[in-house]
Amino acid sequence: MRAAHTAGKTQERVLLATVARNADSTYGREHQFSRIRSYLDFVEHVPVQTYEDLSPYIQRVVAGDLRAMFGGGQRVLMFAMTSGSTDEPKYVPVTGAFLREYRRVWNAFGVKALLDHPAAFLGSILQVVSPMDERRTHFGIPCGSISGLLAATQKRVVRKYYVTPRETGYISDPEARYYAIMRFAVPRDVTWTITASPATQLKLARAAAGNAERLIRDIHDGTLRAPGEIPGPVQRSLMANSQPDHATAGRLTALVEEHGELLPRHYWDLAFLCNWTGGTMGLHLRDFPHFFGDTPVRDIGLLATEGRVSICLEDGTPAGVLDAGGSVFEFIEADADPSDGSAIHRCHEVVPGGEYRVLLTTSAGFYRYDIGDHVRVHRMEGQAPVVEFLHRGLHVSSVTGEKLTEWQVTTAFEHCRLKLGLSLSNFVLAPCWADPPFYRLHVDEQLDNINELVGLLDAELSAMNMEYGSKRSSGRLGPIVVNHLPPRTLGEVDADRQRRYGASNEQYKHQYLYTRPGDDASLTPRGAGESRRLGSPTS
């Protein structure tokens, strides 16, 4: 909080330390880091970067040339992997300095959350982590999830509070993995849980509820008979110290007899939950009361594999204060070109209510890196903005200049769902080229009032996005068309995509808005909409 109130000076200090650390790297010499004495010098020598700009240097580091990006005395502990704009993942070098920054902010988040929820203090914690070594480079450096590295390097005094065995990260079968986590978590006195996606919270709860009889029997017998496949070495490691627990099995049996089902609000006394709540993630929260009762939810803040942006200080909001003492932040006005220097602002120069894209400069060797995240500034905390994640830059569709965002689509759909009293939660909206262009709504549930839903969704989008409304009223954009899919189709599409990114990647997000015509080809019956189609665009 002190860093937030002096964010201007704090950011300058962090910037100069980061630049000095890598001044004698190849990247540092090429961009004259030795001449940088201020933020203005930094902007003069370093342009706004994308991953593609940095990729040649990163590939050299992956190949063993650490000096391509880092100064002497530094070591790359691992490469954190995250999905990129192509089928190849991005590699983020995790140095000792970057790991310290990442851990420091998580510690701050956790301490603040515990101070606000003292009932959770010294209770058990359920946290889902993925392995840090899904693969290795030619030189043996692990590549995977930074959450795995954080878990592997925890102090023993802290580790004892976490109920999830790290070995569960090596279970590739999602159903078996979630079951195994709950097999060890349900018997413990869990007071808070932390995942990236709220969908993961629900998957864990459903894994226990849907396998209640099996779960109680495993706890009673001291066994692990998961649905799905667990590799033999992982199974043996998980069960090495397992003992029968007749008392807990008896308590859980009594809960099932009393409530007719087995839910977290029955077997845990939760103080709070931690997960994303902003952007499209908030759609999952409507299912939380059934499983978790009225347990408050603390957003984990805006963070990416490339670095953390914000720390949420209170429950029930995705808005968090900028981590001014960690990385260096710049903000580009939402629709501006990065080459327009007048549209780029330092953290203490942004305006409440403004929408921006975030640039990161971190100890991972990323400088003025456009992470593609759009945020809205709620207010200022001293000199630091309190920001809320809106959407990724890639999740914008604009076939006629309407610039429709995924946040607008999911928000409008949620308004419609509530007005019509629908339980429908999964859908895809995709742009289609025709005369005129239009959007196709894919659903895999049969609804009697689907026409009413489509008309209301069109009206909501028109009210929310003036460009969309203008294009619709002028006939430049046609009405929404429905495509009914077989039951569970969208869930199967998500499962297939998650397998391609790695089943252990719990940060996977369902994509509600497709952004390019033709992206939904696998969902569309051959010939659908042909009477309106003119052909593929030429540009």
Side-chain angles (χ1 to χ4, degrees):
M1 294 303 291
R2 284 196 298 271
H5 283 265
T6 59
K9 291 182 179 179
T10 299
Q11 287 277 279
E12 189 94 4
R13 173 179 55 78
V14 174
L15 170 63
L16 295 181
T18 303
V19 168
R21 193 180 297 124
N22 297 320
D24 60 344
S25 66
T26 301
Y27 186 95
R29 290 194 300 273
E30 289 179 359
H31 293 82
Q32 301 182 24
F33 277 13
S34 61
R35 296 187 178 184
I36 294 176
R37 298 289 184 270
S38 67
Y39 170 75
L40 293 179
D41 293 340
F42 179 61
V43 170
E44 180 183 348
H45 292 291
V46 182
V48 174
Q49 309 273 284
T50 64
Y51 186 83
E52 287 69 29
D53 296 324
L54 293 169
S55 182
Y57 301 93
I58 295 171
Q59 291 305 316
R60 288 174 59 181
V61 175
V62 171
D65 180 13
L66 302 187
R67 297 302 289 271
M69 298 178 74
F70 303 106
Q74 296 193 70
R75 186 165 66 97
V76 173
L77 306 175
M78 67 169 292
F79 291 95
M81 295 195 305
T82 184
S83 58
S85 57
T86 67
D87 290 339
E88 282 298 310
K90 297 178 184 176
Y91 291 87
V92 179
V94 178
T95 62
F98 184 74
L99 180 64
R100 287 191 295 274
E101 293 171 5
Y102 216 84
R103 189 189 300 279
R104 178 189 60 79
V105 188
W106 270 117
N107 288 345
F109 169 84
V111 168
K112 181 64 169 66
L114 286 171
L115 289 172
D116 292 342
H117 303 281
F121 190 62
L122 297 182
S124 297
I125 308 162
L126 189 161
Q127 181 180 22
V128 177
V129 299
S130 299
M132 60 175 286
D133 52 354
E134 296 175 19
R135 62 181 73 168
R136 289 183 178 270
T137 68
H138 178 73
F139 293 92
I141 299 176
C143 306
S145 169
I146 193 171
S147 67
L149 178 61
L150 289 168
T153 55
Q154 278 178 331
K155 294 181 180 179
R156 185 173 299 178
V157 67
V158 174
R159 180 64 227 170
K160 68 180 182 180
Y161 293 105
Y162 288 82
V163 303
T164 309
R166 284 194 291 117
E167 293 88 345
T168 57
Y170 295 94
I171 302 173
S172 59
D173 184 311
E175 186 179 11
R177 184 185 186 211
Y178 290 127
Y179 177 86
I181 290 171
M182 295 304 278
R183 160 65 181 86
F184 293 97
V186 169
R188 299 283 295 274
D189 60 333
V190 172
T191 58
W192 56 298
T193 68
I194 181 166
T195 67
S197 170
T200 303
Q201 305 268 26
L202 295 171
K203 287 177 180 178
L204 292 168
R206 288 171 176 143
N211 296 280
E213 184 178 346
R214 180 198 301 260
L215 181 68
I216 293 172
R217 186 169 65 249
D218 273 344
I219 292 171
H220 180 278
D221 298 343
T223 55
L224 176 59
R225 293 171 285 223
E229 182 179 351
I230 297 179
V234 174
Q235 175 92 15
R236 289 189 291 273
S237 179
L238 287 171
M239 300 310 299
N241 298 309
S242 180
Q243 299 293 328
D245 188 350
H246 299 167
T248 297
R251 177 174 65 85
L252 296 174
T253 299
L255 288 174
V256 173
E257 292 173 351
E258 178 183 356
H259 300 286
E261 56 186 341
L262 192 64
L263 304 176
R265 59 186 170 90
H266 300 148
Y267 49 79
W268 288 333
D269 186 14
L270 290 167
F272 65 105
L273 304 163
C274 299
N275 51 254
W276 283 323
T277 64
T280 59
M281 292 290 100
L283 294 176
H284 297 283
L285 300 182
R286 58 176 174 243
D287 293 328
F288 271 36
H290 174 70
F291 293 97
F292 305 108
D294 58 358
T295 304
V297 181
R298 176 69 58 97
D299 195 293
I300 60 175
L302 175 52
L303 72 157
T305 301
E306 296 93 338
R308 179 185 272 274
V309 177
S310 67
I311 307 172
C312 290
L313 303 176
E314 54 187 317
D315 299 333
T317 175
V321 66
L322 194 76
D323 175 32
S327 302
V328 179
F329 302 95
E330 297 168 89
F331 295 84
I332 308 180
E333 295 169 15
D335 297 323
D337 189 296
S339 62
D340 180 5
S342 65
I344 301 177
H345 309 279
R346 302 178 73 179
C347 70
H348 57 285
E349 298 170 342
V350 297
V351 178
E355 294 186 12
Y356 303 89
R357 298 202 316 274
V358 181
L359 302 182
L360 274 178
T361 294
T362 75
S363 296
F366 286 42
Y367 306 95
R368 310 196 76 198
Y369 174 69
D370 188 347
I371 62 175
D373 286 348
H374 288 234
V375 300
R376 177 186 294 121
V377 176
H378 275 232
R379 60 181 178 85
M380 300 298 289
E381 180 70 47
Q383 294 185 332
V386 175
V387 299
E388 173 191 1
F389 172 77
L390 295 179
H391 59 82
R392 293 283 295 180
L394 294 176
H395 291 182
V396 178
S397 177
S398 193
V399 288
T400 63
E402 69 276 17
K403 292 180 286 188
L404 194 63
T405 71
E406 189 173 43
W407 180 86
Q408 291 169 342
V409 169
T410 55
T411 301
F413 189 92
E414 181 68 357
H415 290 171
C416 299
R417 190 191 70 81
L418 293 174
K419 287 180 180 179
L420 299 177
L422 302 176
S423 60
L424 178 67
S425 60
N426 217 3
F427 69 93
V428 165
L429 190 70
C432 303
W433 282 105
D435 184 18
F438 65 101
Y439 281 84
R440 182 179 285 119
L441 178 67
H442 299 276
V443 294
D444 57 6
E445 298 179 34
Q446 292 298 317
L447 299 173
D448 293 333
N449 54 351
I450 187 67
N451 291 332
E452 187 178 2
L453 169 63
V454 168
L456 189 56
L457 178 61
D458 193 55
E460 288 280 348
L461 290 173
S462 295
M464 190 173 293
N465 181 319
M466 62 181 294
E467 293 292 347
Y468 178 94
S470 172
K471 305 300 189 293
R472 282 287 294 116
S473 63
S474 66
R476 287 173 287 174
L477 191 64
I480 296 172
V481 175
V482 177
N483 179 36
H484 288 283
L485 299 166
R488 298 183 294 278
T489 298
L490 296 178
E492 292 168 1
V493 170
D494 282 348
D496 179 66
R497 289 185 171 185
Q498 190 168 358
R499 278 192 294 270
R500 279 188 275 157
Y501 284 116
S504 62
N505 183 8
E506 62 112 6
Q507 294 189 5
Y508 172 82
K509 301 180 181 72
H510 172 77
Q511 189 171 345
Y512 294 93
L513 175 66
Y514 287 4
T515 58
R516 296 178 300 180
D519 279 356
D520 64 335
S522 63
L523 300 175
T524 306
R526 188 174 180 83
E530 286 298 322
S531 61
R532 303 174 57 191
R533 190 184 309 277
L534 287 180
S536 299
T538 58
S539 63

